Amino acid sequence: MYPENEIFREGLDDLAGHYKEILTLLGEDPSREGLLKTPMRVAKAMQVLTRGYEMDAHQVLRDALFKEDYSQMVIVKDIDFFSLCEHHMLPFYGKVHVAYIPNGYITGLSKIARVVDIYSHRLQVQERMTLQIKECIQETLKPLGVMVVVEARHMCMQMRGVEKQNSITTTSDFCGAFNQAKTREEFMNLINR
């Protein structure tokens, strides 16, 4: 998906220079063999991990908008994601489950996963990411309702601080038809099968 010869964003060399300085501040020798290419590798990795800033999630949905007379729940579940916590810049990762009830228009199913990819490839907090995914689908498709559930493990909780290895954080956001408990319950039952 992102080959080694990918075109990186402006500032890559400056970013690598900062990582070289970070290595020095951590007590390492950035000129030793194992670390010679590390600053550039990390700079490239960070640009890939934050590529969502360069993408328009609304446009992704608009590019695959189809008129369709279907008004039952559409669910895309178990969408894998990886993101970086904006507080410690450590990874959090897990699954996103999305449902919407069309109101005359549907979108390509892969586009829902692309929306998740775009918002997760930014410095994030799980709560905001959940809201952004829901709002993007609601604003662009104008469905009868949207619900998003995100389940994630946070390395900032596992590697540092409280060091709780098995904790999972779940967030949800919904609107429209999902304000009805029965509709939310149907969605939850379908994703938990």
Side-chain angles (χ1 to χ4, degrees):
M1 183 176 195
Y2 293 94
E4 192 62 34
N5 60 356
E6 175 183 9
I7 298 171
F8 290 93
R9 299 191 307 265
E10 190 176 323
L12 183 65
D13 290 330
D14 289 340
L15 194 55
H18 289 294
Y19 280 113
K20 184 175 181 179
E21 181 66 23
I22 288 169
L23 287 172
T24 301
L25 291 170
L26 291 173
E28 269 293 353
D29 175 7
S31 64
R32 75 174 171 85
E33 183 182 5
L35 294 177
L36 276 175
K37 295 182 180 178
T38 297
M40 184 55 75
R41 284 188 195 111
V42 176
K44 287 179 177 180
M46 290 305 291
Q47 283 204 355
V48 169
L49 293 172
T50 60
R51 67 182 179 255
Y53 291 118
E54 303 291 310
M55 300 175 186
D56 182 347
H58 293 83
Q59 191 59 47
V60 165
L61 292 179
R62 283 193 294 270
D63 286 346
L65 202 58
F66 307 103
K67 186 142 184 62
E68 191 64 47
D69 189 26
Y70 182 81
S71 59
Q72 298 302 313
M73 196 179 303
V74 175
I75 299 173
V76 182
K77 70 177 197 170
D78 295 330
I79 303 167
D80 291 317
F81 81 92
F82 298 88
S83 192
L84 289 175
C85 159
E86 70 180 31
H87 299 144
H88 303 99
M89 290 180 67
L90 288 172
F92 69 98
Y93 62 95
K95 302 221 179 264
V96 177
H97 315 287
V98 177
Y100 74 98
I101 300 173
N103 187 19
Y105 290 92
I106 61 170
T107 190
L109 297 176
S110 68
K111 303 311 178 194
I112 299 292
R114 292 274 295 139
V115 168
V116 170
D117 187 52
I118 289 168
Y119 288 116
S120 66
H121 281 82
R122 299 176 180 185
L123 297 181
Q124 275 291 12
V125 294
Q126 183 174 334
E127 298 86 345
R128 181 188 320 117
M129 187 178 85
T130 305
L131 175 66
Q132 287 173 328
I133 294 166
K134 184 215 62 173
E135 286 181 341
C136 177
I137 295 167
Q138 180 63 36
E139 292 167 6
T140 309
L141 298 182
K142 299 185 181 0
L144 298 174
V146 179
M147 185 162 178
V148 177
V149 173
V150 178
E151 301 170 302
R153 294 182 181 275
H154 292 253
M155 297 308 286
C156 58
M157 282 184 64
Q158 294 179 312
M159 295 174 67
R160 53 157 306 282
V162 295
E163 296 184 14
K164 297 302 176 210
Q165 306 309 313
N166 297 309
S167 64
I168 295 174
T169 302
T170 303
T171 52
S172 68
D173 201 351
F174 52 86
C175 62
F178 289 95
N179 285 317
Q180 298 173 18
K182 183 178 177 187
T183 308
R184 285 195 312 276
E185 185 178 321
E186 178 185 352
F187 172 57
M188 295 305 290
N189 287 337
L190 288 168
I191 67 170
N192 288 320
R193 282 188 181 167

